[in-house]
Structure formats: C-alpha cells, structure tokens
Amino acid sequence: MPAQKDRWVSSLVFLLSCASSIPQCGSASLQQEQSPQHYFSGLEAGKPSLAFFTPTVSPSAQPFLEHIESSAEALQDYGVSVVKVNCPKEDVSRYCGKENALRKAFLFRGNRLIREFPTDALFDVNSIVANVLFALLFNEVKYVETLADLENIENVLKGKSNMVFAYVPATGTAEHRAVMEAAFVYGTIHQFVLTTEAALLKATSHDDPDVSSAWLLFCHCQQVTEPAQACRRTALAQPLTLLNIHRHLKLMAAPLVTEVAEDPEKISTVHLQLGLPLVFILSQKETYEADRRTAEFVAWQLLGKAGVALLSRDLVELNVLQRSNVALKTPDEGMPIQYLVLEDTDEVITLVEDKNKVKQIQEDEQEEEEDEDEKENNNQDIQDDQVVEAVSRDKKRELPLEQILVLTEENFHSSLSEAARTVVVLFYASWEAVSLAVLRSYSEVAAHLQGTPGVLLSRVNCWDWTGLCSQENVTQFPTIRIYQEGQQSVTYGGMWGTEELSSFILLSQVSCPLKLATMDEAEGYLRGEFPSELSSLHHPSLLGVFSSATSEAREAFEEAGNILSGQVRMGMYFEDDALALSQKYSVSPPALLLARSSGQSVEGIALSEHSVQDMVQMIRYQLLDIFPEITVPNLPQYLQLGKPFLILFSAGDISQVESKEMLKLAKRRPQKTFVVCWLNLKKTPVGYGILRTYFSTIPPLPLLLWVNLHAGGQVFKFPSEQSITEMNILLWLEKLQAGLEIPSSTLSEEDWKPPLPAYDFLQMMEPSVPELSPHPGDTPAQHPPKNPGGDTAGGDSATREEPSQESTAEEGGAPGRGLRGTAPRLAARDKQGKRHSEL
Amino acid sequence: MVPAVCGTLLGLALYASSLCAISGATFLYHDYCVIGAGPAGLQAAYFLQQAGRDYVVFERSHAPGSFFALYPRHRKLISINKQYTGKSNSEFNLRHDWNSLLSHDRRLLFRRYSRDFFPDADTMVRYLEDFASLLKLRVQYNSAIIHVTLEKNEQAWNGHYFLLTDQDRKNYKCSSLLVAAGMWVPNVVNFPGSEYVEGYETVSINPEDFTGQTVLILGRGNSAFETAENILGVTNFIHMVSRSRVRLSWATHYVGDLRAVNNGLLDTYQLKSLDGLLEGDLEDLAIVKDKKGKLHITLRFYLENRNISAGIDSITLPQDELDNFATRAPYDRVIRCLGWKFDFSIYNRSLRMMPGKGNIKKYPQIKPNYESRGTRGLFVLGTASHSVDFRKSAGGFIHGFRYTTRAVHRLLENRHHGVPWPSTVYPITQLTNSIIKRVNEASGLYQMFSVLADIILLRENATAFEYLEEYPIGVLAELEMQTGRKARNGLFVIIMEYGRNFSGADKDVFYYNRAVGEAQHAWQSNFLHPVVYYYKHLPTEREMRLCPPDWPLPRPNAIHHIVEDFLTDWTAPNAHILPLRRFLENCLSTDLRNFFAESCFLFAFTHQKLPPSCQQGYVRMQGLLGSQELRQHAVQAGLLQDYTHTDFLGDRPPDSHHGSQEHLMRDHGIPVRPLQHLVNAKDEL
C-alpha cells in the first residue's frame, strides 16, 4: 500500500508539472546496456522496464529508435525505464539471436517478461506510452467488448466505487494515452473501463455519437444503494485530454452541494478555481429541506458546468431583496455576485448555460476584433456606406426617366405656369448618393402615376443649375417640392419611398382641407369614395364639421390643413345641416369625424383645440392606429411618442385571439403610457435581425416583448408558457414595473463613432515639412533661402515680407548690388557663354 | 459746436446726400465714397446698391473703366473669356470667365459681349458702361478726386470723416472710403539718358514705325512682351532687359506673370533668331546718344566722373573693355514697359497711406481685411489691393478682386450695419455634401486660392453647422468680430492650394509623375486641389503671425487634402468623398454614413443612440426606403443583411448572432483597386 501511495503522489506531481510543459519534461534519456547479460543482472524486482535489443549497428530500426528515445522521458515519469541493449555479434541468446526478436520491444517487470510489442505497434510517442501503460495497468483498466461486460462491472461496483468509462476509436492514439495516464493516477480510486467498440459507445450515449471521436463517462455508482438502480452518468463535454479528464474527475469528486454559512463573496470552491460559476441557492431554516432538494436537483443538472452551494440566509447577513432566491458568482475577478429572483430550476440552468455561451461568443468576437484591427488600414479606402455603395453598383443601369421632365434655368418658370395643375420638382445633385437613390424611387413614382391627369413630374439637377436651386432656396439634397398655381410651394417631408411619394402627390392635388358642399359628398368622403382622384388611396378620411358660428375653430382647421397638406386626407363641412351630420356620430360641432381605412366605423371627436399647432398635433395623434402593425416606414410616427413598446413579433398575421386580446389591452385608457403594436416578420423580415440581437437564437413565435426604447433600453420577454391574454399581460406588466423581472437583453448604449480612421496627413506632412512643428516659434527668417547660390544681400526685407518660392527665386537679381561689381560680373558671366542671358 | 451740429444733422437726414456747411466749405455727405469707376469700383457699387446703402462713385473720366480705354495699348486683354465649359453650372463657369463682374443680371456675363478667348479692351469698356447703366449704379463722372483728408469726429463710424475734394474744388464727406482707383501712375526709372526712353503709354503701336529698327525694351512683364510681339516681324532685332529672370505664368501659376499668349519673343530668342533677353539692374544703366541718333548702352559707373557735355566719344562703353559685351550694338529706340504704381499723391499725410516694402512698394499698405494700415475705415479695392496676395493668387485681377470686393462689403455690412456675414445652417448629415458642392463649383475659392476660404462653424455637440462662404483667411483670428458669427465649437476651413513646391519661375512643371492619383497620397498633390483644415478653437492672432512659412494658415488639429483631379471634378465616391467623410467623421468623432430606412429601423430597436443619418432623417420621417434594386446591391456588397429567407428555427452559429449590425460595422465591400494606369494618366497627357 505505501508503494501505491508513492506512485500516486509522484504522478500527481508529474501531472501538474507535465501538463504545462510537456516538451521540457526531463531530459532523462535512454539507458544503454553493453549486453543482455548486463541488462538482466541489473534488473530490480518489481520495477518495470522496456527493453529492445539491437545489433550494434542497425540502420533499419532508425525511426522506431527515435520514438523510443523520446518516449523514454515520458515513461520515466511512470517509473518505467527504457533500455537499449546492445547485442554483441557473437550473442545468439533468446533476445539477440533471433532475427525477429530484434524487431520487438519487451516490457519486463523485474525480470519477468510482461509483454512483447512488435515495433509497428509503437509508431509514435503516444502509442508507446499508451501501450506500455495499458500493459502495466492491466488490472486497473478493464477492457470490455460487450454491453453485458460493462453492466456486470457496473453492478459489481454499485455502492462501492465509481466508474470511469472511456471509448477510444483505436488504441495507441493520443486519447488512449490520456485515458491511460489518468488511469495511472486515478486507477485506484475509480474503476476504469475502456472499449474500442463503437456499438458500446452507441449503447451508452443518448444521441447519435460520432464514432471517430473519443468519449468519456463518469458513472456515479458509489451512491447507488439498490442493485436495480442505474448509475447516474456525467459525460465529459470537452475533448479527451489529460487535463480535461483530470478536471472532470476533480469536479466529480467535489461534493455535490456545498453548504455555506459565510459571506458568499469570500467563498471559493473547486468550481470557481477551475473557472466555472458557482450557483447559490438561498435557503431559510423553514424551507431548508425543500431547498436542499432543489439544490441537489440543480447540482445534478449542472454537474461539470457549475458548482452549487446552499446558502443559509439565517446564518449570513445578506443585503439583498428578501425575494431573491438564487445568486450567481462568476469566476471572473471583480464581478459582483448577481442576486436573482427565479421561479423555476430550468431558469437557473439556462442562466448558467447562457453565461457560458455568451462568454464564448465574446471570446470569439474579441478574436475577430483583433483580426479586424490588423486589417483596418486596408479597409480605409473601401466603401462602407451602404447607400453610396448601392448607388455606385447601380450606376450602369439606365433609369427610365422619360416620364420626368428635365427643368433648367431657362424653362423652370415657364413649366411651372403651364397647363398641368400640379408640378412636382425633385431637386437633386447628380453626384450625391442619397439624391440618386431617391431619383430611382422617383422614376418608379413616375411609372406609377403615369396617366394621372394634372400631374407633371420634373427634376432639377442642382449640380447643373446651382443658381436656380439657390434661388428656390434649396439647401439640401434631395428636396421635393410641389408647385401649384396660385399657392405656396409645399416641401415634401415624408419617407423617400415610392408609395409614400405617390400618395403625397395624389393627396396634394386635392385642396386640404377639401370643402364639401352637400351631405352626400360628406358621406361619400367618409366612405373614401369622394373625391374620385383619391379613391385609390387607403388613407383615413378626416372630416371637420363646423356650424357656421364656430369660425375660429374652422380657421384653425384650415390652417392645420395647409400644414398637413399632402400627408392627411382632410375634408371640411360647414353647411346648415352640419349639426345633423355630426349628431349621426354623436358629437356636436365643432367636431372631427374620422373614418379609418381599415374599419368601417366612423369615430366622432369633439374639437376643443383652437390653436393651429395643437390642432395639427391632435390630428396627427388621432391618425395613429390603436394597435398598429409596425413597419419600416411607419415606425418613426410611433417613436415620436417617446413611449415604451409592447410589441408582438409574429411569423405572419397574428391570430384572431391574440389580436383581440392585444386590442383590448391597447384600448384601455390608462395604458396609453406605452405603444401596443405588433410586427409581421414576413412583411418586415428585418424583425429577425432585432430578435437575433436580443436573443442569440430566435425564440418560438409569436413572442411578446416589452422594449424600453427611450429609457434604459431593457427588453423583457413575456413568459412563453403563458398564453397571451389581456390579464396575463397586465399581471406581467405589473411585475415588470415593480422590478421583479429580469431583462432578457438591453439595447446597446454605444455611441456612433467613426467606423474607420482617416488618413493622417498631418503626420505624413511633418517629416517633409519641418516648419509644421507644433510650436512654430522660429521665425521664417531662420529658414535658409531656398534658392541655392542666390545673392541674399539686401534681400532680407523681401524674405520677411514674402517667404515664398517665387520671391526667393527673384533674389538672384535683387537690388542693392554694388555698382562697381557690375562690370566685372557682367564680363565674367558673358565669358562663360552658358549664361549669356545674364547681363 | 459746428461739427457737432453737423453730426446731428447727419444723424437726422440719413439717406441721400445731405448738405453740411463747415468753415464756409460745403460738403456733400455719403456713407460710402468710392474712388474710381473701374471694375472694382463698380463691383463695390453693385454690392452697396444691393444692400441699399448710401454711396457714390467718383470717376475722373466721362465713362467707366478709363484705364481700359487706353490700356493695354495693343488692345488684347489677357484674361480668358471661355464660352464653353461643357457645364451649365453658372458658378462653375465663372471659374473660366475672368472678365465678368458679379451681379444677379445674367445679361451681364462677358461671354455675351465677346466671342474672343482673349477679348478686346474696347469690349471691356463697353461692358463696364453697361454694368454701370443697367444696374443704375450711382457714378459721378468727370469728378477727379485730387485731395483726401480726415476730419476727427467721435460720432463718426471710424472716429473720423473722410473729406474729399474734386478738381472743381467741390467737397464731399464720407464715413467710409473705398479706394478703387487702380494703378495708373507709370513706373519710371531715372538714369543718365533716360530722356531718350519712350514710355509704353505713348509709344507708337503701329508696327510700320519700327521697320528695320533695332529696339531695346525695358521690362519683362506682359506689357513689354505685348509690345515686342507687335513689332517682332518688322524689327532688326529686339532685346529685352529687366532686373529679374522671366517668369512664365504656367510655371508660377500666377496670372500676372508672362502669359503664353504674349511670349512669341521667347520662341525666337531660344531659336537664335536675333531677339534676346538679358538680366540686369536698370538703375545701373545709362544711355548715350551718338551723332547719328543711335542709342548706346553703357553703365552709370563709367559716367560718374565724366562731363557728359564732352560728347559721346569721351564716354567709355562697356565694349571698350569687354569686346563681346552683349548689348554692344546700338539701338534705334528704347521703350520702357515697367508697369504702374498706385497714386499716393492725393492723400493727406494724416491718412498715412504708405507704400509697401520690397516688391510690393507699388501698392499701398493694407491689412488682410483690405483696410489701410494707416487709416481705419479706408479700404483699398481692386488691383491696388493686390499686396495681400501679390504673386500668389488673383487678387490683382478682375476674376479675383470681384470676390475680395464682395468680402470687404460683407465685412462692412457687419461692422456698420449689424448684418452678420451671410451663412446657412445645415444638419450635420449635410457636412460632406456641402463641402463637396462648394469645392466643385465655387469660383471665389478657386480664383482666390489660399486667400479666401469657406468656413464651417460647428454648433454644439456637432449636430449642425453653419456655412460661411469666401472669408479672407488673413483675418481668421478675428472671425467672430468680423462676421458676427460664433465659433465656439470648432471650425473647418476649406481652401484651395497648389502643391507647396510645385510653382516657381525655375520649376519644371511638366516633370514625370507630377500628378498624384491615390487618395492616401493626396497631401502631395501639385495642382490646385481642395484642402480642409480642422481647428478645435479659432486660431489666435499670435498663432496666425507664427504661421509656418509658405503656409496660409497655422498648424491645424487635423488636415485633409482632397486628391488633385484632372477634371477638377471632386465627386468620385471612393477617391474623393470617402476619404473626406472619414476625415470629418474622425474630427467630429461620429459616424456620417448614410443608412437605408431598414437599417435605421433595426438600430432604433437595438441601440439607444442612433447614427446622425438615422437621427436626422429616418426618425424625422425622412428615411431612405430605397428601391428593391438598391437594397439588393447593398446586400450583395455585404453592407445590408437580407432577412427574407431567414430560417428562424435554425440555430445559427454564434458568431452571426449580431446579424446585420456586425455587417454594418465591418467593411465587407469588395475591394476596388484603383486602375493604376488610368489614375496617373494625367502625366501622359
């Protein structure tokens, strides 16, 4: 027994030192023996050694020799010496004499031969170590071939000890070696069982296993009391390496649930040391038994992934909510413990699993970011503006612009006053990407509105006609204006989309508000049939009804109509029977009658606002849907309300039941503090992008979310197991507001920084333009004149005034030259001939 | 007492001219007096008239542009009148129209007056007459101002009034004096024998008068070459002498240097056709006339101890000592073409109108805001104001000073009438666009390169900016005071520059690889190209003074060069606009990319903050929905994610869980490598 214990200790030391630095592990090398006699006489009893016999020179075994030599170091750690025995020429003994014995290695314990290995089974270090240990640990590691064998062993072990069952695709592999090395250390504690049978693997793992990769199970047989009971199994999730196996076995050996009676911040368990999180189940005296059971249940689920501790609140002063029941401590230093209120053990498990996942993702991302940093400089000149890039990729396509009149400085004013009643002008710049993108939509509008009487579509390229554009006060590109005779032009302020633009143009054709003359017209208007120009539009109809007395409200309404022209379909009725009309909808004038295109019913709204601004606001607000389907074009209208969104993501149309429940919720007056809406992922597929940002995988649909778009940015997910009913939602919202729910995600708070750096010209210029130093304290005069050989006498003043190239070049002939010097100089220069140009 | 009463009277009778009697003299009062109805005077009058100011222009002649009625003697203007540019952009076309003045009236474009590329000077006179009459400018003809003095008065705008006297002893009084009198006093040199020299002003322009003669021309400017060109065909030979070497404007990029249109003599000189150029100081010369009337060149040095009356024979000629002296042949005529200088004579000493120093001594001393150094309220306009950018930019020529005159007018509007410098406020999303628009079309920036600059003043948090056009950069430090605009949050200065060592009389401007094609080497651009300076704070006066030599502005916090372009068309998305956007983004620390509405939609749901283009566009209902094709292109470029075919149940690998933003954050475009041989094509042409 003491010997065994020694082996234990020494190999643990080996494990720890070798795991980190295998290449450096000892340089103890091959022993050499003069002859077989020498070798056998020196063998110690019980000490294993691996020997091979070789004639003094044997080139054929050369590669094998190299492996043997390098495995000598590894084997030495397991107490196995590797010996090369030279065969003297005349030796014809058992090991040296036979030809085939020279192609083998022999494992001895003491001087007893245990096994002989053909050299082709010892193809590398892994196979040598694995096979040698396998032979030595014959008793500790059971090799099984059938399921029955495995079950027999398991049954025997029940109540006694645990079992480690490993499958390796073949012996002599790195995994085989890892298992054997682990068995060398743990073989006396756990029963090791090894197989290479794929059928056994299939029988022991749940899903379809990959037979080409190794697999290790820890079977908890020690606790099993009843023979009929199966041993629990915990698989090793990581690849089979010595370190991973070691780690796994350590975790399996740790107590399932640790009981804690001190500050959780100070607690450290084997899990935390191994980089795994620790889950605390907060317990009280009253519920101890139940909590203990919960903790054990959770611990089994999390075995190998996280540790579980039972924290007694009675013993530890905790400064956390009374309702918190779970705490999570992560191995990252400095991370505070998270206290949570969870309802279900599954949540604990997802919490831990997601944490691990997130961590992994972050690591992946970090790597990617690093990659990006390296690439950064190359990307600077690559277009990363989606609009610019899309437009330049589309530039070769010829746009169908025949329907659109080109306006110039010459024909602009005459075109505006021509027969067409409504002239739409797109002011754009032909080099500007957004302009060109809008021009594409504009050409679609032209095709769409082709044949509509009274509408002329035209365009002005402000790059060609800059004067015209500044005259028309166009400062931004693109701008769309509608010019109608006798009226002020209206600038388009809506989405740059084909549909939106078309409806704007159509609506602008009709005066806003439209004066209705008869009751029939008014009724037709509410039905969307009058005027006929607008019958193709599905816009809500808004009718202001005024008794002639209420002119103040009417004026405000008309003003509001001017502002909302093109955006809203507005009518106005103030004939004698206005009272009768409004009373039909149980309001009295001044009032608004609103017919939404969707429903047939007409709402009556009493008008109390008389200021134009309030009226405009009120009309805009009234036009918003109660339970809208959020789309890309309409989101801004709802964003402007500045309220949180309760939004239902649906893979298609929402079911009637859900729609009814949501509508009920939306209609509750006090609930107007948030926007109730839904999103059709079929129509707005970018919604998948949103979900993917909130949750790493798309949760089952339909999915109800509370999104705090404006404050805090938290996203809460309505429990999927609950049905979407008004009451459930209200209860959930209450809890949510009380802070009892955990957000599933939080909107990024990141600022929008420059995507890439710019060329640093300042830095590039510095070496070549030394004057550009940060402290240009030295005066220009200190810089030598740039004209070499120039006569600078008397040129100082010029230099100071104008330190430019031109002036220094001129100094060559600067005034102030001594008169006396002139003639000789003239003479000298003239003689040189080359420069006869200089007098 | 009397002046004070006068002041109050002025205060009461503000408009039109008011009479005011002081010490017996009668003064006609105007807020602004302009001396000279040449191009600059009329240009100033136009802006004063547009602003509704009280002004008068004094013109000594009976019609505007009296200088052009006489000069150039050979009647060919050397300012180009380009009829066609292939563009209809009126601002851009002004870059190639060097004769028109600025006005709102499209009839007053010079190309409607002449079809000649180098028009006749008579056309200019006719144009100026039309300019004055069509715009109904208030010009008082036949009024030569012969004296200007100051009258101290604390209530006056500048602490004094300007008192002007004309040739009829009529007196005028003004609060502000704009001197646009031009440069018309001929430069003369005095040396022994200079009485034999004929002046450019009066020399015959009939070539027949020079038949078979040998001519020496003093001077090396355009007037000298123009004179030579005229008689080149009939003379024996022509020699030209001047102090400095000839400067060719295509080498110096200065329009005042010798223009190719006049340089026929260079051709014959270099081809050894008897004509020649010589350098020497005119002050050292002497001319001696022999009995046959021939003129001999000698040196003042030889004459010093001689009695001139002793006759030609006793005077030493250089060839006596040096028998191959270059100008040993006698001349029939010597013509002086030495240019003009400012008329300093009419200004009272109290105005301290001082000539400049060195090579700008022909000009009055003025500050970079064109105000006289000696007298507040006196501004020099037009060609006389060229000292600010002499031999650099175009401030001495119509196509340059039409813009500096406008700048002076804007400074005055702010100073005296509380009208701040005109500006437009834009949202920050328009930053790149507004710069690209201006550098591509602005004429003032282009002509007055390195002198006038567009200024972008950032608003707080860089959500908006204010755009000021064509401000004189010499007074950048005083921007807030001079424009009435605030520059608290940093500014961009946009100017045009030539490469620093590219221009010069002795430079080879045709060397191989002279043009830069790649955006990352834009700072080495040689041809005129836009440069953007970024300052976190307005430079101080001291920083302006300590400006590195050859630099128009002090060291900025960051600088960007837009790479020179063969077509001067800086609208290429990848070579011009992208690097500019990156520069602006990094100065402002924000993301200035455009986004389709779909991306903004995603950001609105996944980010608490939005990029400016979404914030100022999409959220305000001006989102760019984009056509199907465009979005498809964006998807192909990897800049937009297509979710249409998303299998929402399928587990995606974790790295794609951020979906489209990841893609948007990264740069996945297909690298577009510049076509090397085309980029550098400029060299080959």
Side-chain angles (χ1 to χ4, degrees), chain A residues 720-732:
Chain A
S720 52
E721 65 277 7
Q722 290 188 36
S723 58
I724 296 175
T725 65
E726 189 194 2
M727 281 328 289
N728 281 347
I729 298 170
L730 283 175
L731 277 173
W732 176 61

Side-chain angles (χ1 to χ4, degrees), chain A residues 420-425 449 452-457 480-485 487-494 499-514 531 533-534 537 539 561-570:
Chain A
R421 277 204 310 164
T422 307
V423 183
V424 188
V425 187
L449 294 183
T452 311
V455 178
L456 174 70
L457 261 61
I480 288 184
R481 290 248 173 90
I482 290 201
Y483 294 80
Q484 274 163 316
E485 243 198 319
Q487 286 176 40
Q488 254 199 318
S489 63
V490 180
T491 304
Y492 178 62
E499 228 171 279
E500 289 75 8
L501 253 170
S502 305
S503 87
F504 174 76
I505 293 167
L506 287 177
L507 279 173
S508 299
Q509 269 189 294
V510 176
S511 60
C512 184
L514 179 69
E533 296 101 294
L534 302 186
L537 289 179
H539 267 246
N562 283 335
I563 293 169
L564 294 170
S565 170
Q567 303 168 37
V568 183
R569 181 175 190 165
M570 277 168 74

Side-chain angles (χ1 to χ4, degrees), chain A residues 361 365 368 372 379-390 393-394 397 409-410 431-432 434 437-438 440 444 463-466 475-477 492-497 500 630-632 635-637 640 647 679 684-686 688-690 692-694 696-698 709 712-713 747-749 751-759 761-762 764-766 768-769 771-772 774 776 802 805-806 810 813 815 819-820 822-823 826-827 830 836-839, chain B residues 87-89 106 243 247 269 277-279 284 301-302 304 322 324-326 359 390-391 424 426-427 430 433 436-437 440-441 501 507 519-520 522-523 546 548-549 551 555-557 559-561 571 573-574 578 581-583 585-586 589-591 593-599 601-611 618-619 621-625 627 629-630 633 637 639 643-644 646 648 651 654-658 661 664 666-667 669-670:
Chain A
I361 289 163
E365 272 172 15
E368 270 171 38
E372 267 162 45
N379 288 345
Q380 245 171 338
D381 49 1
I382 294 172
Q383 188 59 259
D384 54 358
D385 184 311
Q386 49 182 235
V387 180
V388 176
E389 183 62 21
R393 280 173 185 236
D394 198 43
R397 186 167 63 95
E409 242 156 47
E410 275 80 37
W431 49 263
E432 200 257 341
V434 177
V438 169
R440 278 155 177 79
E444 289 173 11
W463 168 225
D464 289 334
W465 307 104
T466 185
T475 55
Q476 291 188 27
F477 311 123
Y492 178 62
M495 288 281 163
W496 301 116
E500 289 75 8
I630 290 293
T631 60
V632 172
L635 173 70
Q637 297 172 18
Q640 281 181 344
I647 180 164
L679 188 143
T684 314
V686 63
Y688 283 118
I690 299 171
R692 212 172 277 153
T693 313
Y694 293 165
S696 36
T697 53
I698 310 264
L709 286 175
L747 307 195
S748 156
E749 260 189 295
D751 281 318
W752 288 86
K753 292 285 175 205
L756 286 171
Y759 299 128
F761 287 137
L762 204 55
M764 294 183 213
M765 289 166 93
E766 236 134 47
S768 72
V769 190
E771 310 94 278
L772 194 64
E802 264 196 76
Q805 277 294 319
E806 291 93 316
E810 192 184 322
L819 195 58
R820 267 164 214 287
T822 309
L826 278 174
D830 230 8
H836 91 286
S837 64
E838 308 212 353
L839 192 67
Chain B
K87 293 199 167 76
S88 58
N89 186 315
R106 285 167 56 210
R243 187 169 50 199
R247 281 182 296 258
Y269 164 51
L277 294 179
L278 298 146
E279 278 90 40
D284 293 345
F301 162 70
Y302 293 125
E304 251 157 32
L322 190 69
N324 69 343
F325 180 62
N359 65 352
F390 183 57
R391 291 209 183 291
T424 318
Y426 298 93
Q430 295 291 315
N433 278 354
I436 290 293
K437 175 181 188 286
N440 275 296
E441 66 181 25
N501 282 316
K507 296 287 166 67
Q520 75 232 43
W523 66 279
L546 297 178
W551 275 64
R555 181 193 161 88
N557 292 98
I559 195 167
H560 182 70
H561 289 253
T571 58
N574 287 313
L578 177 66
R581 193 196 82 211
R582 295 217 191 284
F583 167 73
E585 278 173 338
N586 281 282
S589 184
T590 186
D591 184 335
R593 286 179 293 179
N594 298 297
F595 291 100
F596 284 114
E598 193 178 298
S599 301
F601 181 86
L602 180 71
F603 298 153
F605 270 105
T606 54
H607 286 72
Q608 300 196 38
K609 294 169 189 160
L610 292 179
Y618 179 70
V619 170
M621 318 256 197
Q622 292 247 291
L624 184 65
L625 293 176
S627 67
E629 288 94 345
L630 286 186
H633 282 302
L639 295 169
Y643 294 97
T644 326
T646 307
F648 60 89
D651 253 343
D655 70 329
S656 68
H657 95 125
H658 275 314
Q661 307 111 290
L664 291 172
R666 285 187 224 137
D667 293 289
I670 292 164

Side-chain angles (χ1 to χ4, degrees), chain B residues 237-256:
Chain B
F237 53 82
I238 303 170
H239 288 166
M240 302 183 81
V241 178
S242 80
R243 187 169 50 199
S244 55
R245 55 166 292 166
V246 65
R247 281 182 296 258
L248 299 162
S249 66
W250 45 257
T252 59
H253 297 112
Y254 173 67
V255 289

Side-chain angles (χ1 to χ4, degrees), chain A residues 316-530:
Chain A
V316 187
E317 274 290 299
L318 278 183
N319 195 16
V320 290
L321 274 180
Q322 198 53 45
R323 299 181 41 257
S324 302
N325 51 12
V326 172
L328 183 70
K329 183 170 181 172
T330 55
D332 312 323
E333 263 186 61
M335 280 284 284
I337 294 183
Q338 270 182 289
Y339 290 93
L340 308 157
V341 183
L342 299 183
E343 281 176 6
D344 170 334
T345 49
D346 283 351
E347 288 180 48
V348 182
I349 289 148
T350 7
L351 186 71
V352 172
E353 285 177 352
D354 283 356
K355 265 270 148 55
N356 289 342
K357 208 178 273 175
V358 166
K359 207 174 142 192
Q360 224 170 27
I361 289 163
Q362 279 170 349
E363 277 164 13
D364 288 353
E365 272 172 15
Q366 266 168 7
E367 278 168 28
E368 270 171 38
E369 274 165 31
E370 279 161 23
D371 287 352
E372 267 162 45
D373 284 345
E374 284 167 22
K375 280 185 268 168
E376 202 164 65
N377 289 331
N378 304 328
N379 288 345
Q380 245 171 338
D381 49 1
I382 294 172
Q383 188 59 259
D384 54 358
D385 184 311
Q386 49 182 235
V387 180
V388 176
E389 183 62 21
V391 168
S392 60
R393 280 173 185 236
D394 198 43
K395 69 180 167 205
K396 293 224 171 124
R397 186 167 63 95
E398 205 171 320
L399 294 179
L401 296 172
E402 311 81 47
Q403 306 297 326
I404 303 170
L405 184 70
V406 178
L407 295 185
T408 67
E409 242 156 47
E410 275 80 37
N411 69 1
F412 182 77
H413 293 283
S414 62
S415 300
L416 290 194
S417 52
E418 260 170 30
R421 277 204 310 164
T422 307
V423 183
V424 188
V425 187
L426 166 67
F427 295 93
Y428 69 105
S430 49
W431 49 263
E432 200 257 341
V434 177
S435 286
L436 295 178
V438 169
L439 186 63
R440 278 155 177 79
S441 300
Y442 196 61
S443 73
E444 289 173 11
V445 172
H448 193 238
L449 294 183
Q450 195 178 2
T452 311
V455 178
L456 174 70
L457 261 61
S458 63
R459 61 192 165 110
V460 174
N461 183 352
C462 291
W463 168 225
D464 289 334
W465 307 104
T466 185
L468 177 59
C469 295
S470 53
Q471 238 174 56
E472 291 297 309
N473 216 3
V474 173
T475 55
Q476 291 188 27
F477 311 123
T479 296
I480 288 184
R481 290 248 173 90
I482 290 201
Y483 294 80
Q484 274 163 316
E485 243 198 319
Q487 286 176 40
Q488 254 199 318
S489 63
V490 180
T491 304
Y492 178 62
M495 288 281 163
W496 301 116
T498 312
E499 228 171 279
E500 289 75 8
L501 253 170
S502 305
S503 87
F504 174 76
I505 293 167
L506 287 177
L507 279 173
S508 299
Q509 269 189 294
V510 176
S511 60
C512 184
L514 179 69
K515 212 156 89 185
L516 300 167
T518 67
M519 190 74 130
D520 276 351
E521 272 184 10
E523 295 279 4
Y525 179 81
L526 285 175
R527 282 195 304 274
E529 293 159 7
F530 181 84

Side-chain angles (χ1 to χ4, degrees), chain A residues 652-704:
Chain A
D653 278 329
I654 43 173
S655 75
Q656 287 224 311
V657 188
E658 280 156 2
S659 155
K660 225 172 77 189
E661 292 292 328
M662 294 292 285
L663 202 60
K664 268 201 280 181
L665 187 75
K667 278 187 177 158
R668 286 179 153 255
R669 282 284 143 189
Q671 301 297 345
K672 287 267 167 166
T673 46
F674 53 90
V675 178
V676 185
C677 54
W678 67 289
L679 188 143
N680 183 346
L681 287 165
K682 254 200 197 117
K683 210 167 137 190
T684 314
V686 63
Y688 283 118
I690 299 171
L691 294 182
R692 212 172 277 153
T693 313
Y694 293 165
F695 312 99
S696 36
T697 53
I698 310 264
L701 297 169
L703 174 70
L704 185 65

Side-chain angles (χ1 to χ4, degrees), chain B residues 219-235:
Chain B
R220 184 65 51 87
N222 277 299
S223 62
F225 275 91
E226 159 206 320
T227 307
E229 186 90 6
N230 186 44
I231 54 175
L232 203 53
V234 292
T235 49

